[in-house]
C-alpha cells in the first residue's frame, strides 16, 4: 500500500500529541472522520465509556485532543445495549457519537456479534436462550437493523464478528459459541453479508486476540484466523479489515516477531486492511519498582509496534483505554481501595497513569509512530 508521507506526518503529530498535548493533527482527524480508513490513511484511537469521560475532565481532555478515533468499550455490546428484549439503551452510545462528532473524531462500532461464554459479556442471556430454543436469524438481523439503522451513518466502521476463533473447540479453529451452535459456521459470512446489506458504505472488520506470541496456541490462532479470512474472501464475502487486538502480556514470553510479521503479510496479501484494535499490557509483577514496571510495559509495547507498524497494510492503532484507572486490567483490588492514587496498585498497561499523567508507554507509542515515518 502506497501510504503518502502526508498521512504519516499526521501520524507523527498524533504520536507526539500523545505525549505533549495539543490538538491531534487535523489531517489525521480529517481522514478519520471520512470513515477513518480510506487506503493510505492512519488513525490513532482509544476506547472509552462516556461515564468515565464525564467523570474525569483530565481524561476527557486527553481523549478529545490526542486521539483521532474512539471505540465504545462495551456500551455497544448486545448485552449492554439491549439487556432485555426490546429495551435498548441508546444513551451512552448517543453521547459517545456526539462527543466524537464535536471533536472531529471517527467512531468504531464494537461489536455487532460477540459470544465467548462469559455471562453479561457480548451477547445477553435472553438471546442465548432464544437461539438455543429456536435458531432464528431474524433475531440476529433485528440486532443489526436496530444498531446499523441508528448508527450506520455516524459510525463508518464496525467489528461485525468479535473473537470467532477458539482453536481448542473445533478442527476448523472456530469458537463453538451460541451463534455457531445455532447456525453453524455460516453465521460468520451471514453476519458480514447482513452488515454489508444494511450498511453498504461501512468498513467491516473481523477482530481477534491471542495472535502475538511465540507459542503453539498463538501460532494455531494465527493459522485459523488466516484460514477464516481466506474462506470469507473465497466466498466473495466483503471483509474490509482485520483487527489484531494487541492485548500484550508480560507473562506470555516472547513476541513472535517473525510469525507475526508473516501473518500480517499474508493478511495484507488477501487485500484486507489491518488495525491494532485493543492495545494494552498485562503486567505480571506489581512488586517491582515503578520505573522498572513502566520500562517493561514500554519495551513490550515498542517490540510489538515495531513489528506491526512495519506492515504498510496496518492503518491504525487503538489503545484499549487511556488511563490505568479505567482499564479492564485492574491490578490489585485491595491495594487500589487502600491507595486510590496513581501509584502502584493499578495494572500500568495503558499510556497514562491513574492520574492521567503520561508514562513511558506513551513515549514508546509516539516513538514507534515516528519510526514508521522515518522508514518511509
Ligand atoms: O459499570 C457497570 C456497573 O455499574 C454494574 O454494576 C456492573 C454489573 O452490571 O457492570 C459494570 O459494567 C461492566 C464493565 O465491564 C465495567 O466493569 C460491564 O457490565 C461489562 O460488560 C464490562 O466488561 C467489558 C467486557 O469487554 C465485556 O463487554 C470490559 O470493560 C471490556 O474491557 C472488555 O473488552 C473486551 C473487548 O470487547 C473484546 N476483546 C477483549 C476485551 C477485554 O476483555
Amino acid at each position: 500500500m502506497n501510504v503518502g508521507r502526508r498521512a504519516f506526518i499526521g501520524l507523527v503529530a498524533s504520536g507526539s500529541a500523545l505525549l505533549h498535548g495539543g490538538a491531534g493533527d487535523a489531517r489525521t482527524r480529517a481522514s478519520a472522520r471520512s470513515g477513518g480508513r480510506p487506503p493510505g490513511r492512519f488513525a490513532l484511537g482509544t476506547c472509552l465509556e462516556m461515564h468515565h469521560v464525564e467523570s474525569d475532565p483530565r481524561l476527557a481532555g486527553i481523549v478529545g485532543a490526542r486521539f483521532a478515533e474512539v471505540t465504545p468499550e462495551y456500551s455497544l455490546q448486545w448485552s449492554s445495549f439491549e439487556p432485555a428484549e426490546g429495551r435498548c439503551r441508546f444513551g451512552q452510545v448517543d453521547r459517545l457519537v456526539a462527543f466524537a462528532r464535536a471533536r472531529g473524531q471517527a467512531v468504531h462500532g464494537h461489536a455487532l456479534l460477540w459470544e465467548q461464554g462469559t455471562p453479561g459479556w457480548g451477547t445477553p442471556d435472553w438471546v442465548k436462550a432464544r437461539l438455543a430454543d429456536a435458531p432464528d436469524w431474524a433475531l440476529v438481523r433485528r440486532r443489526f437493523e436496530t444498531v446499523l439503522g441508528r448508527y450506520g451513518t455516524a459510525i463508518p466502521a464496525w467489528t461485525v464478528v468479535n473473537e470467532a476463533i477458539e482453536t481448542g473447540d473445533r478442527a476448523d479453529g472456530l469458537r463453538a459459541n451460541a451463534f455457531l451452535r445455532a447456525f453453524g459456521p455460516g453465521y460468520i459470512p451471514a453476519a458480514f453479508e447482513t452488515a454489508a446489506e444494511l450498511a453498504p458504505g461501512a468498513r467491516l472488520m473481523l477482530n481477534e486476540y491471542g495472535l502475538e506470541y511465540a507459542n503453539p496456541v498463538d501460532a494455531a490462532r494465527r493459522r485459523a484466523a488466516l484460514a477464516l479470512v481466506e474462506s470469507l474472501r473465497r466466498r466473495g464475502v466483503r471483509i474490509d479489515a482485520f483487527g489484531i487486538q494487541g492485548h500484550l502480556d508480560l507473562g506470555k514470553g516472547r513476541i513472535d516477531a517473525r510469525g507475526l510479521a508473516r501473518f500480517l503479510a499474508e493478511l495484507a496479501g488477501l487485500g484486507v486492511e489491518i488495525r491494532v484494535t485493543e492495545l494494552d499490557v498485562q503486567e505480571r509483577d506489581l512488586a517491582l519498582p515503578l520505573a522498572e514496571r513502566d520500562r517493561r510495559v514500554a519495551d513490550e509495547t515498542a517490540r510489538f509496534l515495531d513489528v506491526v507498524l512495519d506492515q504498510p497494510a496496518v492503518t491504525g492503532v487503538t489503545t484499549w483505554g487511556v488511563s490505568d484507572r479505567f482499564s479492564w486490567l485492574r491490578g490489585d483490588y485491595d491495594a487500589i481501595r487502600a491507595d486510590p492514587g496513581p501509584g502502584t496498585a493499578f495494572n500500568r498497561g495503558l499510556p497514562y497513569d491513574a492520574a492521567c499523567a503520561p508514562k513511558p508507554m506513551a513515549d514508546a507509542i509516539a516513538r514507534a509512530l515516528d519510526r514508521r515515518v522515518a522508514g518511509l
Side-chain angles (χ1 to χ4, degrees), residues 73-74 77 110 114 120-121 162-163 245 247 278 320 328:
E73 184 169 9
Y74 54 84
Q77 296 291 6
H110 173 79
W114 179 35
W121 279 32
N162 190 46
E163 301 179 7
Q245 292 184 9
H247 288 298
E278 306 183 14
W320 205 237
W328 74 291

Side-chain angles (χ1 to χ4, degrees), residues 52-364:
H52 295 156
V53 164
E54 290 159 347
S55 70
D56 189 331
R58 298 164 305 180
L59 181 68
I62 292 169
V63 172
R66 303 177 194 176
F67 293 90
E69 181 175 297
V70 292
T71 301
E73 184 169 9
Y74 54 84
S75 48
L76 248 181
Q77 296 291 6
W78 201 343
S79 50
S80 299
F81 190 80
E82 189 181 6
E85 186 165 5
R87 284 185 35 223
C88 293
R89 299 193 303 196
F90 300 114
Q92 287 274 346
V93 182
D94 288 354
R95 296 206 313 276
L96 183 146
V97 168
F99 176 93
R101 180 179 291 124
R103 290 157 182 80
Q105 296 169 314
V107 180
H108 179 81
H110 173 79
L112 289 171
L113 290 188
W114 179 35
E115 203 283 292
Q116 45 78 286
T118 306
W121 279 32
T123 300
D125 291 343
W126 68 268
V127 171
K128 288 188 255 186
R130 289 274 297 277
L131 292 179
D133 281 349
D136 177 4
W137 189 256
L139 183 62
V140 175
R141 184 179 176 87
R142 203 191 64 206
R143 155 71 172 170
F144 284 46
E145 287 169 345
T146 302
V147 174
L148 296 174
R150 189 177 183 94
Y151 303 111
T153 306
I155 298 180
W158 292 83
T159 294
V160 176
V161 175
N162 190 46
E163 301 179 7
I165 300 294
E166 178 39 71
T167 52
D169 281 2
R170 295 165 38 105
D172 59 9
L174 296 181
R175 183 184 301 276
N177 62 23
F179 301 108
L180 187 125
R181 293 193 299 272
F183 304 108
Y187 88 91
I188 300 172
F192 277 87
E193 286 157 353
T194 304
E197 175 201 335
L198 296 171
R203 311 273 302 160
L204 306 179
M205 175 190 278
L206 176 70
N207 191 41
E208 286 296 346
Y209 70 93
L211 303 165
E212 299 84 9
Y213 286 89
N215 64 61
V217 173
D218 281 27
R221 291 182 61 82
R222 290 192 289 266
R223 286 193 299 273
L226 202 57
L228 177 55
V229 175
E230 280 170 341
S231 71
L232 291 170
R233 299 289 279 197
R234 206 171 33 248
R235 293 174 61 141
V237 172
R238 181 159 76 79
I239 170 171
D240 303 301
F242 183 90
I244 175 170
Q245 292 184 9
H247 288 298
L248 305 181
D249 185 331
L250 297 182
K252 281 187 77 172
R254 179 173 57 83
I255 286 174
D256 187 347
R258 288 184 59 188
L260 180 56
R262 187 167 54 247
F263 172 67
L264 297 174
E266 288 172 316
L267 274 178
L270 293 172
V272 295
E273 185 184 340
I274 305 166
R275 300 295 301 268
V276 174
T277 52
E278 306 183 14
L279 177 62
D280 56 20
V281 184
Q282 174 66 65
E283 288 190 87
R284 288 298 173 188
D285 186 349
L286 275 63
L288 289 168
L290 219 53
E292 174 60 14
R293 290 174 57 189
D294 287 349
R295 185 192 65 77
R296 291 185 181 193
V297 166
D299 289 354
E300 188 80 341
T301 301
R303 278 189 287 268
F304 173 69
L305 289 181
D306 279 350
V307 175
V308 295
L309 292 183
D310 194 41
Q311 172 46 253
V314 174
T315 60
V317 171
T318 287
T319 61
W320 205 237
V322 171
S323 162
D324 299 331
R325 177 176 301 283
F326 300 107
S327 172
W328 74 291
L329 301 169
R330 283 284 188 282
D332 178 337
Y333 278 100
D334 295 333
I336 285 172
R337 268 192 284 277
D339 165 24
T344 61
F346 293 90
N347 183 85
R348 295 171 69 86
L350 286 174
Y352 294 80
D353 72 12
C356 290
K359 291 182 290 162
M361 182 182 178
D363 187 54

